[in-house]
Amino acid sequence: MSNTFYVTTPIYYVNDVPHIGHAYTTIAADVLARFHRQLGDEVFFLTGTDEHGNPAAQAARKRGLAPQQHVDEMVEKFKSLARRVNATNDFFIRTTDPSHGETVQRLIQQLYDKGDIYLKSYEGLYCSACEAFYAEKDLADGKCPDHGTVPELVKEENYFFRLSGYQERLVEFYDKHPDFVLPETRYNEARSFIMQGLEDISISRATLEWGIPVPWDESQVVYVWVDALLNYLSALTYARDENLLPVFWPADYHLMAKDILKFHAVIWPALLMALGFELPRHLFIHGYLLLGGQKMSKTRGNVLDPFVVMDKYGVDAFRFYCFREVTFGQDGVVSLEGFESRYNSELANDLGNLLSRVAAMIGKYRGGRVPSPPAPNSELAATTQTLGMEVGRAMAGVDLTGCLETIWQFVRALNKYVEDSAPWKLARDETKSAELSGVLYDLAEGLRISALFLYPFIPDTSSEIMRRLGCLEGPQDLLLEKAEWGVIGPGSHVLVEEPLFPKLAE
Ligand code: MSP
C-alpha cells in the first residue's frame, strides 16, 4: 500500500497582486509534492486564496467594485502564478467557494452547540491589515509590529471561542510532539507563547459584510482567520466527488512564513481539538525572502515580480534560485545580481555545460549511442547510493537547500570526472577504447541520476535532460526507484541540442 502525503500552502490574500513571496511557498510545497510522487506516495497538494475580510473588501471599494467581482478578478492572478511556477497543486481552494462556506458553517455550529463559543462584548485594538487584535504590550511604539500602522479601537459584541480552555492540552501536545513546528526555534516560540497564557478569541465580526454568515446569528460573519484555517479541512471534502478527509487528514505539512505562525500553532490546533480532529503532523515555517534587507511587500514598494523574472530567465532558473540562494527556513536576501551570477555559474556552467559536453562526446565518439560499460563503475555507483540516502534525509526534514547542495556536489563531481578522465585524450588512443566507453557510460548515467534527484526542483529541465539522454519514456522513469546505478540502457539514443541555459552576458 502506498503512503499518503498532504501538503498545503497558506491561502493567499487577494487584496493585492501576487509577489515572489507567494511564489516561494507555493514552489516549496510543489517540491515536496513532486518528491513524494517520485517516492510513489499518493499526494494531495493544496493551495488557494483567502478572499474574505476587510482588506479584500476595502480593495474592492477602492476600485469601485463589488467584493465578489474584485476577488473573481484577483484570483485569476493567483491561479496563473501557480500555473506559471509549474505548481502541481491538486486543487485550488477559494474561501468564496460555496462548499467551503457550508463546511465552515457546519463546523462552527458544532463548536457553538458544544458550548465552545459564547457571546461577549469586547473592546480592543484592531489591525485590519493583520485582521487581528493586539494587546498594547505587543505593539511597537503603539503601532502594528508587522504593518507599522496605528491599530483602531474597536468595540463590538462578538462570539468568542474558548481558546483558554485548550491551553493545557496544547502544552501536552507540544511536549509529546517536539517536531510539530519546524524549525526548532519556531517550535520554542510557539510553545512559549502558549505558556504565557491564552485568552479566548473573538471568532466573529459584527461590522463586516464580506464573509461567511454565522449560522445562528446572521448579523455577524465568521472571523476571517477561522474561515481561512478551516480551508485545510474543507478542501478535502469537496475537491473530488469522494470525501478525501479520511484519506489525507491529518496534513503532513502546512508550509508558511513566520508572520502567520501564531494562528497555525495555537488557534488552529485548538480549533481542531475542539472539533475532534487529529492535528497536522508538522508546520514548517520558512523565512522571508528579503529585497535590500526588508520583507517584500507592496506597501513598501520593494516587490520583485516573479512573472518578470520567469519570463526573462525561465521557470526552473527561478525555482532553483529560490532554494539555492536562501537557506530554506531562514530569512535571506535575493537580488537580480545574485540570480544572474548563480544562473551563469551553476545552471549554465555546472549543469547545462555538462550535458552539452557529455552529449557532444557521445555523439562524436560513439555515434550518439550510450556505449556498454566494460564494468560498472563502483565508485560512482556507491556515491549515488549515498546521495540517495542524503537526499531522502534532507527531504524528510524539509531541508530543501541542503538537499540541493548535496545534489550539486554530485553535479560538480561529474564535472571533475570529465576533467580527470579526459575522454578526448582517451579517444586518441585505440587501446583505451573500453575505458572511454566506461567513462561515457558513467557520465550519461550520472547525469540521468542527477536529473532524477533534481526533478522536484527543476522539473522541466530534469525531464529535458532525460529526454536528451534517451531515457524518458514515461512518468515511471521519474520514480526514485530508478535512482540506482545501471538503469540507463546501452544503446540509448543521445541528442545534441541547444544549451539548456544559454549564458547571460556578464
Ligand atoms: N491569508 C493569510 C493566510 C491564511 S492561511 C489559513 C495570509 N495571506 S498572505 O497573502 O499574506 O500570505 C502570507 C504568506 O505568504 C506567508 O506566510 C508566506 O507563506 C508567503 N510570503 C509572503 N511574503 C513572503 C516573503 N517575502 N518571503 C517568504 N514568504 C512570503 O497571511
Side-chain angles (χ1 to χ4, degrees):
M1 219 180 75
S2 65
N3 291 320
T4 59
F5 184 76
Y6 179 25
V7 60
T8 68
T9 72
I11 46 170
Y12 305 114
Y13 287 132
V14 290
N15 41 314
D16 232 328
V17 292
H19 60 71
I20 196 170
H22 302 127
Y24 187 54
T25 318
T26 302
I27 299 172
D30 188 59
V31 169
L32 291 180
R34 287 179 187 265
F35 176 75
H36 279 269
R37 290 195 200 100
Q38 278 190 299
L39 287 175
D41 292 349
E42 201 180 335
V43 172
F44 197 83
F45 163 18
L46 179 69
T47 188
T49 42
D50 187 352
E51 303 186 7
H52 290 129
N54 249 329
Q58 275 167 5
R61 210 169 304 130
K62 252 196 212 152
R63 297 178 64 207
L65 298 177
Q68 188 66 54
Q69 205 181 348
H70 167 72
V71 298
D72 283 350
E73 266 181 46
M74 296 301 287
V75 74
E76 290 311 319
K77 299 191 201 299
F78 284 85
K79 283 188 171 171
S80 78
L81 178 72
R83 281 193 298 269
R84 187 74 182 88
V85 300
N86 231 340
T88 52
N89 51 301
D90 295 283
F91 191 59
F92 188 101
I93 187 169
R94 301 182 57 184
T95 51
T96 52
D97 288 342
S99 301
H100 170 74
E102 284 158 26
T103 306
V104 170
Q105 288 191 321
R106 183 167 52 78
L107 294 176
I108 194 171
Q109 179 76 52
Q110 218 170 295
L111 294 179
Y112 186 61
D113 294 344
K114 204 176 149 232
D116 264 329
I117 288 177
Y118 62 96
L119 190 65
K120 178 173 111 170
S121 77
Y122 185 75
E123 191 175 271
L125 294 166
Y126 193 70
C127 169
S128 60
C130 293
E131 293 277 15
F133 282 102
Y134 275 95
E136 215 132 346
K137 68 174 173 48
D138 296 328
L139 297 174
D141 285 334
K143 293 181 179 154
C144 163
D146 226 21
H147 294 93
T149 46
V150 180
E152 51 178 324
L153 189 68
V154 171
K155 191 171 178 191
E156 277 186 18
E157 188 158 73
N158 292 150
Y159 289 97
F160 275 69
F161 169 62
R162 293 187 202 282
L163 182 63
S164 57
Y166 288 88
Q167 170 152 357
E168 258 172 51
R169 281 179 65 188
L170 281 172
V171 174
E172 207 177 295
F173 179 84
Y174 267 75
D175 289 344
K176 269 203 198 134
H177 301 87
D179 60 353
F180 174 53
V181 182
L182 296 165
E184 199 185 346
T185 47
R186 301 292 170 211
Y187 169 92
N188 294 335
E189 224 172 87
R191 190 178 179 284
S192 76
F193 179 78
I194 298 168
M195 294 300 285
Q196 282 166 27
L198 299 177
E199 287 179 17
D200 293 350
I201 55 156
S202 143
I203 53 102
S204 71
R205 293 286 179 271
T207 48
L208 271 180
E209 278 162 31
W210 183 234
I212 299 170
V214 170
W216 62 89
D217 178 354
E218 299 227 335
S219 70
Q220 304 235 355
V221 298
V222 176
Y223 174 39
V224 68
W225 265 101
V226 172
D227 168 353
L229 287 164
L230 290 170
N231 94 87
Y232 302 129
L233 285 178
S234 78
L236 293 179
T237 66
Y238 69 95
R240 302 282 182 272
D241 290 340
E242 159 205 16
N243 176 11
L244 294 178
L245 265 178
V247 184
F248 289 107
W249 193 259
D252 291 274
Y253 278 100
H254 291 317
L255 300 188
M256 73 204 74
K258 60 191 169 199
D259 52 344
I260 54 178
L261 171 64
K262 261 191 215 167
F263 296 101
H264 285 81
V266 183
I267 301 176
W268 182 223
L271 282 173
L272 288 167
M273 283 174 176
L275 289 165
F277 281 98
E278 269 187 80
L279 268 50
R281 296 207 167 90
H282 311 281
L283 315 179
F284 189 93
I285 318 302
H286 62 69
Y288 288 133
L289 292 184
L290 308 165
L291 261 189
Q294 274 193 322
K295 179 190 170 193
M296 257 171 288
S297 82
K298 194 70 187 296
T299 25
R300 294 204 182 94
N302 59 348
V303 182
L304 185 67
D305 188 335
F307 290 101
V308 173
V309 175
M310 284 183 285
D311 286 347
K312 196 155 167 207
Y313 307 100
V315 184
D316 279 357
F318 175 69
R319 291 175 61 115
F320 176 78
Y321 178 69
C322 285
F323 304 107
R324 190 82 178 119
E325 184 75 5
V326 177
T327 301
F328 195 61
Q330 295 173 16
D331 291 353
V333 179
V334 289
S335 68
L336 207 55
E337 297 77 42
F339 173 87
E340 292 191 346
S341 129
R342 274 203 192 269
Y343 176 102
N344 270 343
S345 67
E346 301 192 333
L347 291 175
N349 279 352
D350 293 347
L351 185 64
N353 203 24
L354 176 67
L355 175 70
S356 299
R357 288 175 95 184
V358 171
M361 290 189 292
I362 293 176
K364 188 161 167 200
Y365 306 133
R366 292 294 179 267
R369 299 279 172 184
V370 173
S372 285
N377 180 326
S378 55
E379 203 182 312
L380 272 183
T383 312
T384 51
Q385 245 180 27
T386 330
L387 175 64
M389 283 186 295
E390 284 175 9
V391 164
R393 206 176 308 131
M395 288 303 241
V398 197
D399 178 10
L400 304 187
T401 307
C403 182
L404 255 186
E405 173 56 26
T406 307
I407 306 169
W408 219 255
Q409 279 172 12
F410 184 64
V411 170
R412 290 198 171 128
L414 290 175
N415 276 298
K416 183 162 181 302
Y417 185 57
V418 175
E419 293 307 319
D420 292 350
S421 55
W424 48 93
K425 283 191 196 151
L426 300 176
R428 288 201 294 267
D429 181 348
E430 264 181 33
T431 64
K432 301 272 171 70
S433 174
E435 200 179 320
L436 176 62
S437 291
V439 169
L440 295 177
Y441 182 89
D442 291 346
L443 288 169
E445 183 60 336
L447 258 170
R448 182 190 67 84
I449 292 177
S450 315
L452 213 53
F453 286 128
L454 283 170
Y455 171 78
F457 297 92
I458 47 172
D460 285 351
T461 305
S462 289
S463 307
E464 178 63 9
I465 292 174
M466 290 177 70
R467 185 187 71 79
R468 291 195 196 178
L469 292 172
C471 56
L472 183 61
E473 278 173 15
Q476 73 283 359
D477 293 320
L478 292 167
L479 292 177
L480 282 173
E481 64 186 36
K482 296 282 177 75
E484 58 185 45
W485 191 261
V487 167
I488 198 165
S492 203
H493 191 195
V494 176
L495 306 170
V496 178
E497 292 181 15
E498 294 295 295
L500 279 181
F501 296 97
K503 243 186 142 158
L504 309 169
E506 298 282 345

